[in-house]
């Protein structure tokens, strides 16, 4: 099963809903992470052809350079892909009123005849490897969880530990009372960072970062949040005033698109 962590899909090996559901979730994740324009994906879609109607396992489309790109996917689960499977799918693609890229996803084996037909008909044969997708989705989540210096705070900035030799982000947030310290001002975050003895830098937290952190916090897998008061409200130079905010209130106020939740 795929868990949606603020727009990032995390595969769960304990619950596998099947090949078709996994492929759909994989593409939804790609749409979000790669910035496809006006993507649409659906399963068990009936499409009118030149000779008859066809029900396809998965259909998706998106716009690229003002062109509508279409893809039709056939899923073959738990059995060998045969030459007959390939010709049947090729005939479906040929009968459509529009050109569509054809892909067959499988999780078992492929006959030599099927491979030859795939070359002749320009159909992509792709084996779905759940473990490989788990690795990819984990790397995607880690990328979001570790902002780089190009990320703009929307609306928060954080101080994070960096490696002394390489200046790479270690993933450790500056914490107070077991909660992540959030600054509304980058300048204030930089001033605070300059007073820290350990190697650290200021990084922006985007809306995607916040969604992931809030989603993990809801599951008890992430610390809470503390928001720093503005500099003019700070009393002492060597201390910092902040207030802790519950994730439900935080989600309602600071995550766009969640105001009605």
């Amino acid at each position: 099963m795929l868990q949606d962590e603020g727009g990032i899909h995390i595969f769960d090996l304990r619950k596998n809903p099947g090949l078709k559901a996994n492929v759909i979730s994989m593409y939804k994740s790609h749409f979000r992470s790669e910035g496809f324009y006006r993507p649409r994906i659906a399963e068990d879609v009936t499409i009118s052809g030149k000779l008859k109607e066809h029900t396809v396992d998965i259909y998706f489309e998106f716009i690229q350079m003002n062109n509508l790109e279409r893809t039709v996917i056939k899923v073959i689960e738990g059995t060998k892909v045969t030459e007959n499977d390939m010709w049947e799918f090729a005939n479906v693609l040929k009968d459509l009123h529009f050109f569509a890229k054809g892909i067959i996803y499988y999780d078992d084996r492929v006959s030599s005849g099927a491979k030859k037909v795939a070359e002749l008909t320009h159909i992509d044969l792709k084996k779905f490897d759940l473990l490989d997708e788990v690795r990819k989705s984990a790397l995607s989540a880690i990328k979001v969880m570790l902002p780089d210096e190009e990320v703009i705070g929307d609306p928060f900035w954080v101080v994070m530990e960096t490696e002394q030799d390489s200046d790479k982000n270690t993933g450790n947030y500056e914490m107070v009372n077991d909660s992540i310290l959030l600054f509304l001002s980058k300048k204030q975050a930089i001033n605070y960072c300059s007073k820290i003895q350990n190697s650290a830098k200021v990084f922006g937290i985007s809306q995607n970062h916040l969604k992931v952190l809030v989603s993990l916090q809801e599951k008890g897998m992430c610390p809470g949040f503390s928001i720093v008061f503005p500099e003019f409200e700070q009393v002492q130079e060597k201390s910092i005033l902040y207030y802790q905010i519950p994730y439900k209130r935080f989600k309602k106020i600071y995550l766009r698109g969640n105001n009605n939740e």
Side-chain angles (χ1 to χ4, degrees):
M1 184 173 66
L2 291 175
Q3 307 278 339
D4 188 351
E5 304 292 357
I8 295 185
H9 293 278
I10 308 296
F11 283 84
D12 187 348
L13 288 172
R14 298 168 298 178
K15 299 177 183 178
N16 189 347
L19 182 57
K20 185 189 294 186
N22 282 334
V23 170
I24 290 172
S25 292
M26 176 188 71
Y27 274 101
K28 286 183 178 180
S29 178
H30 290 340
F31 290 160
R32 292 173 178 177
S33 63
E34 297 177 19
F36 284 81
Y37 181 59
R38 284 177 55 186
R40 184 170 74 89
I41 188 166
E43 62 179 308
D44 300 328
V45 178
T46 299
I47 304 174
S48 295
K50 301 167 189 173
L51 300 177
K52 64 176 184 177
E53 289 188 337
H54 305 278
T55 300
V56 300
D57 291 334
I58 302 170
Y59 169 86
F60 76 80
E61 65 182 35
F62 61 92
I63 295 175
Q64 186 175 53
M65 297 182 68
N66 294 324
N67 294 320
L68 182 62
E69 304 289 340
R70 296 179 167 108
T71 298
V72 174
I73 297 174
K74 182 179 179 66
V75 173
I76 299 178
E77 184 173 9
T79 186
K80 181 193 286 187
V81 181
T82 67
E83 187 175 340
N84 287 337
D85 292 324
M86 298 301 302
W87 281 122
E88 179 183 332
F89 188 49
N91 288 332
V92 170
L93 295 171
K94 187 177 180 180
D95 189 50
L96 299 179
H97 289 286
F98 53 85
F99 172 77
K101 180 179 180 180
I103 304 175
I104 288 183
Y105 276 95
Y106 64 96
D107 60 2
D108 198 330
R109 297 164 293 158
V110 179
S111 70
S112 58
K115 292 179 181 179
K116 290 179 181 178
V117 177
E119 293 178 4
L120 289 172
T121 57
H122 304 290
I123 294 173
D124 286 346
L125 272 172
K126 296 186 178 184
K127 186 169 185 178
F128 186 89
D129 188 332
L130 183 59
L131 288 175
D132 188 51
E133 289 304 320
V134 169
R135 180 186 63 81
K136 289 178 182 177
S137 63
L139 288 174
S140 180
I142 289 172
K143 184 178 180 180
V144 169
M145 292 293 289
L146 294 181
D148 58 37
E149 293 180 79
E150 296 180 0
V151 174
I152 303 298
D154 184 15
F156 295 109
W157 301 84
V158 293
V159 176
M160 300 187 72
E161 181 186 57
T162 56
E163 296 178 0
Q164 289 187 350
D165 297 333
S166 64
D167 266 357
K168 288 184 179 180
N169 192 332
T170 66
N172 294 323
Y173 292 85
E174 179 69 13
M175 309 272 286
V176 288
N177 288 335
D178 297 323
S179 61
I180 298 172
L181 201 58
L182 302 175
F183 294 84
L184 286 165
S185 162
K186 182 179 182 181
K187 180 182 177 181
Q188 187 180 13
I190 292 173
N191 290 338
Y192 179 85
C193 184
S194 66
K195 301 173 185 176
I196 296 177
Q197 294 182 352
N198 298 330
S199 179
K201 280 188 175 181
V202 172
F203 296 90
I205 298 291
S206 69
Q207 282 290 307
N208 279 339
H209 285 86
L210 289 179
K211 288 175 183 176
V212 172
L213 292 172
V214 169
S215 181
L216 293 175
Q217 192 182 96
E218 289 175 326
K219 297 175 175 63
M221 300 168 61
C222 177
F225 301 121
S226 288
I227 299 177
V228 178
F229 284 103
E231 282 187 319
F232 67 87
E233 294 187 46
Q234 299 295 325
V235 179
Q236 297 180 359
E237 184 178 350
K238 294 185 179 180
S239 64
I240 189 164
L241 290 177
Y242 58 86
Y243 62 95
Q244 291 184 316
I245 180 169
Y247 73 83
K248 288 184 178 180
R249 186 178 172 211
F250 185 92
K251 183 176 181 179
K252 183 177 181 180
I253 297 174
Y254 292 106
L255 288 191
R256 288 196 293 273
N258 291 282
N259 293 332
N260 294 325
E261 294 184 9

